[in-house]
Amino acid sequence: MELPDDPMMLFSVINMKLRDCYGSLDELCNDMDINKDGLIRKLRAAGFEHSAEHNKFW
């Protein structure tokens, strides 16, 4: 799956995947072959932080 470049769309897609399909960000990144640090940096630059406890970005 091609991830969107737009940070708001990326935020939405990643949270949907975390909610519906994956128990953790590590699981999502491993399964989808996504660079976890790069994803976190991109979403952090848009103002979002990851919460492992809640399994989502906010």
Side-chain angles (χ1 to χ4, degrees):
M1 173 182 182
E2 182 88 18
L3 292 176
D5 287 327
D6 177 76
M8 291 303 292
M9 292 297 297
L10 180 62
F11 165 76
S12 179
V13 168
I14 293 297
N15 273 346
M16 178 192 67
K17 291 285 191 185
L18 287 171
R19 180 190 69 231
D20 295 346
C21 305
Y22 298 99
S24 71
L25 184 59
D26 286 328
E27 186 181 334
L28 179 145
C29 290
N30 288 336
D31 187 55
M32 296 184 68
D33 195 29
I34 297 171
N35 179 297
K36 180 182 172 183
D37 293 332
L39 177 64
I40 290 172
R41 272 194 305 273
K42 186 167 189 170
L43 288 173
R44 185 176 291 146
F48 300 109
E49 293 292 326
H50 180 250
S51 169
E53 179 183 351
H54 296 98
N55 193 35
K56 67 179 182 177
F57 282 88
W58 51 12

